Amino acid sequence: MNLLLAEVAQATQRLAAAGVPSPRNDAEELAAYVHDVKRGELHTVPDADFDARYWEAIARREAREPLQHITGRAYFRYLELQVGPGVFVPRPETESVVGWAIDAVRAMDVVEPLVVDLCTGSGAIALALAQEVPRSTVHAVELSEDALAWTRRNVEGSRVHLHQGDAFAALPELDGQVDLVISNPPYIPLTEWEYVAPEARDHDPEMALFSGEDGLDTIRRIERTAHRLLRPGGVVVVEHADTQGGQVPWLFTEERGWADAADHPDLNKRPRFATARKALP
């Protein structure tokens, strides 16, 4: 075993002892980042090239600083995004939300679908839709200036139209025209603060995490915004906590102009997102 692989094994033990959820993965990712190689190429790094900065990176991760803040990058579906302090780090769970939305848009009898991503954060959702539905027009809305510093870097050169502003008052010029509204909004109840993983609680923006006593304040307002923006037959997709699967679909009732409200699991079979269709006249 070469020196780097031996150090990775030791780092894995340190990260596991610190409670890091994926210690081997993170130890390898940081080794690859510091030595500027792919994870599968770690065995090719000569002992003489071992970089002591690796242990500085491990110490930061040991303190539960997000892996993505240390490397400055996050992977989402087919994208590599720039992330750091001030912007919510996209999670793997959201990939299944976007996958459902992409399938829904592709199934629509629309040549050039119109999509709106509310609370876009890093721009991960908007960029994935623009990339995987090539003829779509995608608008992304974000309020936070800190987050937008990262969003602008990520969407530069893409087809995503970025807007700074309040998601609830956004894009009135598109009222009644949008085919898909999607959002990964804040949804953690304020009462759950102490149970949130340190990587999120101490590093993700608070406004991207918490939303009222039951966690549903933002989703309630997105329900009204989505109804305003969507054309009849258009679809809304909203991510939520795995404990909210029995609550969110009930916000999209027939009385409020919705049809086919349903909840869906993520790849781990946990309730993850709700969908509904704007009712036809």
Side-chain angles (χ1 to χ4, degrees):
M1 180 182 293
N2 72 8
L3 175 62
L4 181 54
L5 293 182
E7 301 294 304
V8 166
Q10 184 180 345
T12 299
Q13 294 179 340
R14 280 180 53 175
L15 295 182
V20 172
S22 50
R24 181 73 186 191
N25 172 84
D26 291 13
E28 291 182 352
E29 282 285 350
L30 289 172
Y33 165 70
V34 169
H35 295 88
D36 196 25
V37 296
K38 296 179 180 179
R39 281 177 63 186
E41 300 171 343
L42 292 175
H43 66 284
T44 68
V45 177
D47 289 355
D49 290 349
F50 177 75
D51 193 327
R53 292 181 304 159
Y54 179 55
W55 289 112
E56 297 175 12
I58 290 297
R60 292 171 65 184
R61 187 69 187 100
E62 201 172 17
R64 305 300 291 272
E65 184 176 349
L67 171 69
Q68 297 85 352
H69 282 199
I70 302 170
T71 65
R73 62 194 182 201
Y75 300 101
F76 187 83
R77 292 182 70 86
Y78 305 106
L79 301 166
E80 180 178 323
L81 304 162
Q82 297 183 59
V83 295
V87 69
F88 181 80
V89 174
R91 292 347 191 228
E93 294 87 350
T94 306
E95 294 189 17
S96 59
V97 183
V98 175
W100 191 97
I102 288 169
D103 289 342
V105 172
R106 288 174 175 170
M108 293 177 179
D109 186 21
V110 178
V111 176
E112 297 180 346
L114 182 57
V115 175
V116 172
D117 173 23
L118 300 174
C119 310
T120 194
S122 67
I125 291 176
L127 284 163
L129 279 153
Q131 180 185 71
E132 298 181 54
V133 188
R135 299 192 68 174
S136 61
T137 298
V138 181
H139 294 266
V141 181
E142 175 57 50
L143 179 61
S144 166
E145 187 61 55
D146 290 339
L148 278 164
W150 296 99
T151 324
R152 291 188 181 104
R153 298 178 203 177
N154 289 324
V155 305
E156 184 178 2
S158 76
R159 295 185 299 104
V160 173
H161 303 274
L162 182 60
H163 308 265
Q164 181 175 14
D166 188 328
F168 312 126
L171 305 171
E173 67 274 16
L174 299 182
D175 283 0
Q177 304 173 53
V178 177
D179 297 295
L180 176 86
V181 171
I182 186 168
S183 182
N184 179 14
Y187 51 68
I188 301 174
L190 290 170
T191 54
E192 299 293 315
W193 184 90
E194 62 185 296
Y195 304 109
V196 178
E199 288 87 346
R201 184 189 64 218
D202 301 335
H203 296 278
D204 277 326
E206 186 172 314
M207 68 181 295
L209 297 176
F210 301 101
S211 187
E213 291 299 314
D214 63 357
L216 299 178
D217 284 3
T218 302
I219 295 179
R220 290 188 181 96
R221 298 188 68 184
I222 283 176
E223 179 269 326
R224 284 294 84 195
T225 303
H227 194 272
R228 168 175 63 80
L229 288 169
L230 288 170
R231 62 168 174 81
V235 173
V236 61
V237 183
V238 182
E239 182 171 336
H240 57 68
D242 55 13
T243 57
Q244 296 167 333
Q247 304 171 61
V248 177
W250 289 101
L251 300 178
F252 296 86
T253 63
E254 292 183 9
E255 291 76 14
R256 297 180 73 83
W258 298 100
D260 305 325
D263 207 61
H264 307 266
D266 59 23
L267 295 178
N268 295 314
K269 308 302 181 184
R270 297 174 298 193
R272 181 56 58 191
F273 61 101
T275 64
R277 190 176 304 276
K278 183 174 180 179
L280 299 174

